[in-house]
Amino acid sequence: MNTKLSRRDFLSTFASGITYMGVRTPDWYPRFTFFAPQNVGPRGDVLVCIFQRGAMDGINVVIPYTESDYYKARPTLAIPEPKSGKDNAIIDLDGKFGLHPSLRPFKEIWDAKQLAPIHAAGSPDPTHSHFDAMDYMERGTPGEKQIPTGWLARHLQTVAWENKSPFRAVGMGTLLQTSLRGPVSATSLQSIAEFHLGGRNRSDPIKQFQSAISQMYSGSTPLDQSASLTLQATDMLEKINVGTYKPANSAAYPKGNFGTALMQVAQLIKAEVGLEIAAVDLGGWDTHVRQGALEGDMPDLLAELSQGLAALYKDLGEAMKKVTIVTMSEFGRRVAENGGGGTDHGHGNVMFVMGGGVNGGKVYGDWPGISKDKLDGPGDLAITTDFRDVLGEIVQKRMLNDKLSEVFPNYSKFKMRDVLQKLA
């Protein structure tokens, strides 16, 4: 059998099978990542960006339990206040706000002052469309779709240093997040084990295929360099033995895609392959019906979120000093519950920032209140903190990038809340 493969044949074959930016390829194909060479790591923090797709109900996450309007608006969804003495009561934070009981794993991180909620935060664009709101937030350009790149991609493009790792930015999952799309390309990574050719059991044909690629793309053209980097990336991941990985400090990741993604982020950070940004999604937050107060869809999601992030926090240990985690969702939910045991699309929400550089143990933001005369639009929590203020502070203080006008174009009135310490 003729095992020689011309560049034309290879490209023709790949054109019919390989896909970039998230479309599925055969398991034995390499997933090409178009980066510069490796071995220059980030100077700032590693950023782990969690997007809660579907619009999380922030009012039942960080709960304003001292306001009687909360209990009036939510006769079936309200959580018992802390002084009730019930096991399933709100977890008090500061005498005004408290955590949903499913977020109990967050309390230890709060007490360590490495967790900060920012309430009444979100996008100033009034849309209640999931698609538009997610798009605006990931682009970092509310109301503007003419700018095609994502805010994380623009950050990567504008930083002063050149991180040359093939794993500079990774979107966990089958589709690359919009926030990472731009001139400095990122890759979607569903499984470390499957990223390289043939998993950990390479057959002779696969080895021949890899050898053929190496021979064909040994020149100096951009395509030659990209192919070489792909093989370089697979070799780097060969050193990460996913099958025998044991999280440190008795960390226990929840079962499912979210927990697996976070565990693999921890592995990439520990392997020191130059990871600078990891984007991870957790969907299912569109709780129009059967939201649940203490049991149901949303409490289950909150448990998965908090268990996953608490496990990552424990697993990384001292490494958390240079890791920042931020959570966001496209918009919040209406203050009043609806007739289906859920909540409809709202506006203001809550973001979390976690890490060693966080001035935690405090709920941030200008709380507008949830009495009827304070609500926005048809009955929504008003926004008093633009989500770009939170992300901009992370970019500037922890990721060492002062070019905020390029990362967040057409926005200049940043209102920093000192949620974070400046990285020395």
Side-chain angles (χ1 to χ4, degrees):
M1 180 180 69
N2 182 8
T3 59
K4 292 184 179 181
L5 189 65
S6 71
R7 292 165 70 100
R8 182 185 298 274
D9 290 339
F10 171 73
L11 290 173
S12 176
T13 300
F14 246 59
S16 66
I18 193 165
T19 52
Y20 183 52
M21 304 280 275
V23 183
R24 183 68 176 170
T25 63
D27 287 339
W28 59 275
Y29 272 30
R31 296 181 185 168
F32 273 52
T33 53
F34 297 92
F35 291 100
Q38 63 182 55
N39 296 331
V40 177
R43 296 182 186 176
D45 278 5
V46 175
L47 175 64
V48 182
C49 188
I50 310 295
F51 206 111
Q52 297 162 279
R53 299 189 185 275
M56 180 187 71
D57 176 23
I59 295 170
N60 253 27
V61 174
V62 177
I63 303 167
Y65 67 85
T66 60
E67 296 201 29
S68 59
D69 290 286
Y70 168 71
Y71 294 94
K72 292 176 183 176
R74 299 188 168 207
T76 66
L77 291 180
I79 311 300
E81 56 185 314
K83 66 181 182 181
S84 68
K86 297 179 180 179
D87 292 338
N88 55 9
I90 294 167
I91 302 167
D92 181 51
L93 294 178
D94 61 0
K96 181 178 179 180
F97 294 99
L99 294 173
H100 188 284
S102 292
L103 293 174
R104 190 166 300 278
F106 276 179
K107 185 58 165 58
E108 181 180 348
I109 308 172
W110 165 272
D111 290 341
K113 299 188 183 303
Q114 294 192 14
L115 176 70
I118 303 92
H119 222 323
S123 169
D125 188 87
T127 184
H128 283 158
S129 161
H130 291 292
F131 178 83
D132 286 340
M134 283 189 283
D135 198 43
Y136 291 147
M137 187 168 275
E138 291 195 273
R139 292 173 193 261
T141 56
E144 171 62 67
K145 289 193 176 184
Q146 298 303 310
I147 298 173
T149 54
W151 72 275
L152 288 172
R154 292 193 296 272
H155 158 71
L156 293 172
Q157 185 183 18
T158 57
V159 287
W161 63 89
E162 186 179 8
N163 177 355
K164 297 185 176 182
S165 168
F167 297 104
R168 185 182 185 189
V170 173
M172 303 303 296
T174 58
L175 291 174
L176 189 69
Q177 289 82 351
T178 299
S179 58
L180 284 170
R181 295 182 180 179
V184 180
S185 300
T187 186
S188 59
L189 178 62
Q190 189 170 19
S191 167
I192 292 175
E194 290 184 1
F195 183 90
H196 46 71
L197 291 167
R200 306 193 68 85
N201 300 301
R202 298 188 184 185
S203 65
D204 287 341
I206 290 174
K207 291 178 181 178
Q208 292 172 4
F209 180 79
Q210 185 175 19
S211 177
I213 296 174
S214 299
Q215 293 174 19
M216 281 191 299
Y217 294 96
S218 58
S220 58
T221 69
L223 187 57
D224 288 321
Q225 294 173 9
S226 296
S228 174
L229 291 170
T230 297
L231 298 178
Q232 188 179 74
T234 64
D235 288 340
M236 290 174 69
L237 287 187
E238 280 285 351
K239 300 174 183 178
I240 304 177
N241 193 340
V242 295
T244 61
Y245 181 73
K246 292 183 179 180
N249 304 313
S250 301
Y253 291 92
K255 294 181 179 179
N257 292 336
F258 182 67
T260 299
L262 292 180
M263 184 168 64
Q264 294 192 108
V265 169
Q267 291 174 270
L268 291 171
I269 292 172
K270 290 182 180 182
E272 298 182 347
V273 295
L275 181 69
E276 193 167 338
I277 293 171
V280 183
D281 294 339
L282 180 60
W285 299 91
D286 195 15
T287 51
H288 287 283
V289 295
R290 297 186 300 275
Q291 176 172 315
L294 298 168
E295 295 181 356
D297 293 345
M298 183 168 160
D300 289 346
L301 281 169
L302 290 176
E304 186 175 7
L305 175 73
S306 61
Q307 290 168 17
L309 293 182
L312 181 63
Y313 176 87
K314 282 186 177 182
D315 192 5
L316 292 178
E318 286 295 306
M320 278 300 302
K321 291 180 179 179
K322 286 198 66 176
V323 174
T324 295
I325 301 167
V326 62
T327 72
M328 64 187 74
S329 193
E330 64 263 34
F331 45 72
R333 316 293 298 187
R334 196 88 25 103
V335 171
E337 65 181 68
N338 60 31
T343 50
D344 296 325
H345 296 178
H347 200 38
N349 210 334
V350 64
M351 300 172 69
F352 286 101
V353 181
M354 181 188 301
V358 175
N359 295 317
K362 175 183 175 180
V363 178
Y364 288 83
D366 299 323
W367 181 247
I370 55 172
S371 59
K372 289 185 177 180
D373 61 318
K374 301 293 186 182
L375 298 182
D376 181 70
D380 304 342
L381 175 66
I383 288 176
T384 59
T385 298
D386 192 301
F387 76 102
R388 291 169 292 184
D389 294 340
V390 180
L391 301 182
E393 187 173 346
I394 293 171
V395 167
Q396 186 177 71
K397 291 185 177 180
R398 302 304 300 181
M399 302 178 77
L400 306 181
N401 186 356
D402 287 326
K403 298 180 180 178
L404 295 185
S405 63
E406 296 181 48
V407 179
F408 300 102
N410 304 320
Y411 186 64
S412 58
K413 297 181 180 180
F414 284 90
K415 186 177 181 181
M416 304 295 185
R417 296 190 176 276
D418 292 324
V419 178
L420 295 139
Q421 302 160 21
K422 173 70 175 177
L423 183 64

